[in-house]
Coordinates of all heavy atoms in Angstrom, one line a residue:
P205 N 7.8 -6.6 -9.1 CA 9.0 -5.8 -9.5 C 8.6 -4.3 -9.0 O 7.5 -3.8 -9.4 CB 9.2 -5.9 -11.0 CG 8.6 -7.3 -11.2 CD 7.5 -7.5 -10.3
A206 N 9.6 -3.6 -8.4 CA 9.6 -2.2 -8.1 C 8.6 -2.0 -6.9 O 8.4 -0.9 -6.5 CB 9.2 -1.3 -9.2
Q207 N 8.0 -3.0 -6.3 CA 7.1 -2.8 -5.2 C 7.6 -3.7 -4.0 O 7.5 -3.1 -2.9 CB 5.7 -3.3 -5.6 CG 5.1 -2.4 -6.7 CD 3.8 -2.9 -7.1 OE1 2.9 -3.2 -6.4 NE2 3.7 -3.0 -8.5
G208 N 8.1 -4.8 -4.1 CA 8.7 -5.5 -3.1 C 7.8 -6.2 -2.0 O 6.5 -6.0 -2.3
P209 N 8.2 -6.8 -1.0 CA 7.4 -7.5 -0.1 C 6.7 -6.5 0.8 O 7.2 -5.3 0.9 CB 8.4 -8.4 0.7 CG 9.7 -7.6 0.6 CD 9.7 -7.0 -0.8
R210 N 5.7 -6.9 1.5 CA 4.8 -6.1 2.3 C 5.7 -5.3 3.4 O 5.5 -4.1 3.7 CB 3.7 -7.0 3.0 CG 2.8 -6.3 4.0 CD 1.7 -5.6 3.2 NE 0.7 -5.1 4.0 CZ 0.5 -3.8 4.2 NH1 1.1 -2.8 3.4 NH2 -0.4 -3.3 5.1
I211 N 6.7 -6.0 4.0 CA 7.4 -5.4 5.1 C 8.1 -4.2 4.6 O 8.3 -3.2 5.4 CB 8.5 -6.4 5.6 CG1 9.1 -5.9 6.9 CG2 9.5 -6.8 4.5 CD1 10.0 -7.0 7.5
L212 N 8.4 -4.1 3.3 CA 9.1 -2.9 2.8 C 8.4 -1.7 3.0 O 9.0 -0.6 3.2 CB 9.4 -3.2 1.3 CG 10.2 -2.1 0.6 CD1 11.2 -2.8 -0.3 CD2 9.4 -1.2 -0.3
S213 N 7.0 -1.7 3.0 CA 6.2 -0.4 3.1 C 5.8 -0.2 4.6 O 5.2 0.8 4.9 CB 5.1 -0.5 2.2 OG 4.1 -1.5 2.6
L214 N 6.0 -1.2 5.5 CA 5.5 -1.1 6.8 C 6.7 -0.6 7.8 O 6.3 0.1 8.8 CB 5.0 -2.5 7.3 CG 3.8 -2.9 6.6 CD1 3.5 -4.4 7.0 CD2 2.6 -2.1 6.7
V215 N 7.9 -1.0 7.6 CA 8.9 -0.8 8.6 C 9.6 0.6 8.5 O 9.6 1.3 9.5 CB 9.9 -2.0 8.7 CG1 11.1 -1.5 9.6 CG2 9.3 -3.2 9.1
P216 N 10.1 0.9 7.4 CA 10.7 2.2 7.3 C 9.8 3.4 7.6 O 8.7 3.4 7.3 CB 11.2 2.3 5.8 CG 11.2 0.9 5.4 CD 10.1 0.3 6.1
D217 N 10.5 4.4 8.1 CA 9.7 5.7 8.5 C 9.3 6.5 7.3 O 8.5 7.3 7.4 CB 10.4 6.5 9.5 CG 10.5 5.8 10.9 OD1 9.6 5.1 11.2 OD2 11.5 6.2 11.6
Y218 N 10.0 6.3 6.2 CA 9.9 7.1 5.0 C 9.6 6.2 3.8 O 10.3 5.3 3.6 CB 11.1 8.0 4.8 CG 10.9 8.8 3.5 CD1 10.1 10.0 3.6 CD2 11.6 8.7 2.4 CE1 9.9 10.8 2.4 CE2 11.5 9.6 1.3 CZ 10.6 10.5 1.3 OH 10.4 11.3 0.3
H219 N 8.6 6.6 3.0 CA 8.2 5.8 1.8 C 8.0 6.8 0.7 O 7.0 7.6 0.7 CB 7.0 5.0 2.1 CG 6.6 4.1 0.9 ND1 5.5 3.3 0.9 CD2 7.2 3.8 -0.3 CE1 5.3 2.7 -0.2 NE2 6.4 3.0 -1.0
L220 N 8.9 6.8 -0.3 CA 8.7 7.5 -1.5 C 8.1 6.6 -2.6 O 8.7 5.6 -2.8 CB 10.0 8.2 -2.0 CG 10.0 9.0 -3.2 CD1 9.0 10.1 -3.2 CD2 11.5 9.5 -3.5
C221 N 6.9 6.9 -3.1 CA 6.2 6.0 -4.1 C 6.0 6.7 -5.4 O 5.3 7.7 -5.4 CB 4.9 5.6 -3.4 SG 4.1 4.3 -4.4
V222 N 6.4 6.1 -6.4 CA 6.1 6.6 -7.7 C 4.8 6.1 -8.2 O 4.6 4.8 -8.3 CB 7.2 6.1 -8.8 CG1 6.8 6.7 -10.2 CG2 8.5 6.8 -8.3
V223 N 3.8 6.9 -8.5 CA 2.5 6.6 -8.8 C 2.2 7.3 -10.3 O 2.2 8.5 -10.4 CB 1.4 7.1 -7.9 CG1 0.0 6.7 -8.4 CG2 1.6 6.6 -6.5
F224 N 2.0 6.5 -11.3 CA 1.6 7.2 -12.6 C 0.1 7.5 -12.6 O -0.7 6.8 -12.0 CB 2.0 6.1 -13.7 CG 3.5 6.0 -13.8 CD1 4.1 4.9 -13.2 CD2 4.3 6.8 -14.5 CE1 5.4 4.7 -13.2 CE2 5.6 6.6 -14.5 CZ 6.2 5.6 -14.0
A225 N -0.1 8.5 -13.3 CA -1.6 9.1 -13.4 C -2.5 8.0 -13.9 O -3.6 7.9 -13.4 CB -1.6 10.3 -14.4
D226 N -2.1 7.1 -14.8 CA -3.0 6.0 -15.4 C -3.2 4.9 -14.3 O -4.0 4.0 -14.6 CB -2.5 5.5 -16.7 CG -1.2 4.8 -16.7 OD1 -0.6 4.7 -15.6 OD2 -0.9 4.3 -17.7
Q227 N -2.5 4.9 -13.2 CA -2.7 3.9 -12.2 C -3.8 4.4 -11.2 O -4.1 3.5 -10.3 CB -1.4 3.7 -11.4 CG -0.3 3.0 -12.3 CD 1.0 2.8 -11.5 OE1 1.5 3.8 -11.0 NE2 1.4 1.6 -11.4
V228 N -4.1 5.6 -11.2 CA -5.1 6.1 -10.2 C -6.5 5.8 -10.6 O -7.0 6.1 -11.8 CB -5.0 7.7 -10.0 CG1 -5.9 8.2 -9.0 CG2 -3.5 8.0 -9.7
R229 N -7.3 5.2 -9.7 CA -8.8 4.9 -9.9 C -9.5 5.8 -8.9 O -9.0 6.1 -7.9 CB -9.0 3.4 -9.7 CG -8.2 2.4 -10.6 CD -8.7 2.7 -12.0 NE -8.0 1.7 -13.0 CZ -6.9 2.0 -13.6 NH1 -6.3 3.3 -13.5 NH2 -6.3 1.3 -14.4
E230 N -10.7 6.0 -9.2 CA -11.6 6.8 -8.3 C -12.1 6.0 -7.1 O -12.0 6.5 -6.0 CB -12.8 7.4 -9.1 CG -13.6 8.4 -8.3 CD -14.6 9.1 -9.1 OE1 -14.6 9.1 -10.3 OE2 -15.6 9.5 -8.5
T231 N -12.5 4.8 -7.3 CA -13.1 4.1 -6.2 C -12.4 2.7 -6.0 O -11.7 2.2 -6.8 CB -14.7 3.7 -6.5 OG1 -14.7 2.8 -7.7 CG2 -15.4 5.0 -6.9

Side-chain angles (χ1 to χ4, degrees):
Q207 297 174 48
R210 179 84 172 117
I211 190 173
L212 186 133
S213 65
L214 296 175
V215 175
D217 290 333
Y218 180 70
H219 183 185
L220 177 56
C221 186
V222 175
V223 180
F224 292 96
D226 65 356
Q227 292 177 306
V228 181
R229 301 294 181 266
E230 187 174 336
T231 67

